[in-house]
Amino acid sequence: MRTLSLTVGLLSLTAATTLSADTSWPAPIQALVEEGLEVHARFEAPGGLDGFAASHRGREMAVYLTPDGEHAVVGTLIDAQGNDLSAAPLDEHVRSAQEAEVWQALEQSHWIADGDPDAERILYTFTDPNCPYCERFHAQSRPWVEAGRVQLRHIMVGILKSDSPAKAAALLGADDPAQALQAHQQSESGIEVSAQPREIEEQVRANNQRFEGLGLIATPTTYYRRDDGRLEQVQGAPEEARLIELMGSPRP
């Protein structure tokens, strides 16, 4: 499975920044904080070391303080069997927090709901009105959406063609955005561009910024939560096996 760690790195965590700014760290850790390190949590490490789960410009890293408190080592801690002892703390304290913030950011985006609001599975997908793969993914999802198992939340962006922002705005500003999106995906000509309030244009701009901030380069890009609660990302219109995994159940 692909994990979100490849893309969430471009998001900064407000909580982590506050933690770094408001805590008095040992001198070697403080020196790294002043260089831009964000400390997410402190954890116990073997050998008398004190561990810090941290990140720098989105890159996660473990930092270990020597027992005398005078030196810090940045890197991976390995035991005698070659096991990576840094992975679990980073996964718990850095990646999970980043994933929670990404999911919250997706929730706060401007999207069009496609499907039952009470569906067991929610998917956020970045959709460009001129994207043929978005159209394909929309068609692929129909069995699950129509069965009430999945709700797609289309975060409308305008990135592929010069008229993409205007089309995205027209869909977001429609009287019935879900119906307008459905008609657009099923029509050869697509939605007609029309003047929209500034508020709607700003929504498209904000979605574009969200897309770029996540380091994404292609539509559709879809996010979902696995059964264990962890976040996954899927790019493009997936093949059947990956599609079933994404939808969370066999084809209805």
Side-chain angles (χ1 to χ4, degrees):
M1 288 186 178
R2 291 189 57 186
T3 63
L4 197 63
S5 59
L6 293 178
T7 60
V8 299
L10 295 178
L11 287 183
S12 62
L13 297 176
T14 302
T17 303
T18 303
L19 181 63
S20 296
D22 294 345
T23 304
S24 178
W25 303 112
I29 304 300
Q30 184 61 37
L32 292 172
V33 168
E34 292 173 0
E35 292 295 323
L37 187 79
E38 293 183 359
V39 180
H40 302 269
R42 193 168 187 164
F43 62 92
E44 294 183 3
L49 299 173
D50 209 359
F52 297 83
S55 63
H56 183 259
R57 295 181 179 176
R59 178 187 175 192
E60 61 190 39
M61 59 183 65
V63 182
Y64 297 96
L65 187 70
T66 56
D68 62 8
E70 296 298 323
H71 304 87
V73 179
V74 179
T76 301
L77 192 64
I78 303 294
D79 66 13
Q81 288 71 46
N83 297 311
D84 181 351
L85 303 183
S86 301
L90 289 177
D91 187 64
E92 177 183 356
H93 299 299
V94 181
R95 296 173 200 143
S96 60
Q98 289 177 327
E99 290 175 4
E101 180 151 325
V102 168
W103 191 256
Q104 183 180 32
L106 296 173
E107 288 178 330
Q108 295 172 350
S109 298
H110 305 285
W111 39 266
I112 296 173
D114 176 18
D116 189 341
D118 296 322
E120 294 182 0
R121 199 170 188 85
I122 301 295
L123 308 179
Y124 288 95
T125 185
F126 284 90
T127 300
D128 186 295
N130 288 314
C131 171
Y133 297 101
C134 296
E135 182 179 337
R136 178 182 174 188
F137 178 57
H138 182 269
Q140 286 178 312
S141 69
R142 291 306 89 198
W144 288 270
V145 171
E146 292 172 1
R149 297 183 185 177
V150 170
Q151 184 189 61
L152 285 181
R153 295 180 176 179
H154 294 267
I155 303 174
M156 302 306 303
V157 295
I159 58 174
L160 293 183
K161 294 184 179 180
S162 60
D163 64 349
S164 288
K167 286 184 176 180
L171 289 166
L172 283 172
D175 292 337
D176 186 337
Q179 185 179 42
L181 179 62
Q182 181 79 2
H184 169 76
Q185 298 288 25
Q186 295 176 344
S187 169
E188 291 186 6
S189 57
I191 193 167
E192 291 186 8
V193 173
S194 59
Q196 296 297 321
R198 183 178 180 85
E199 177 185 358
I200 300 297
E201 294 177 350
E202 289 296 331
Q203 289 179 3
V204 176
R205 186 173 294 109
N207 285 349
N208 286 355
Q209 291 174 344
R210 185 84 69 196
F211 181 87
E212 294 171 1
L214 286 167
L216 306 181
I217 59 174
T219 55
T221 297
T222 306
Y223 292 86
Y224 72 99
R225 287 193 180 278
R226 300 189 322 228
D227 292 341
D228 62 3
R230 300 307 297 269
L231 208 57
E232 285 279 342
Q233 177 204 99
V234 176
Q235 292 187 358
E239 297 299 328
E240 183 69 13
R242 187 62 163 142
L243 177 66
I244 290 173
E245 182 181 308
L246 173 61
M247 297 295 165
S249 64
R251 181 178 290 275

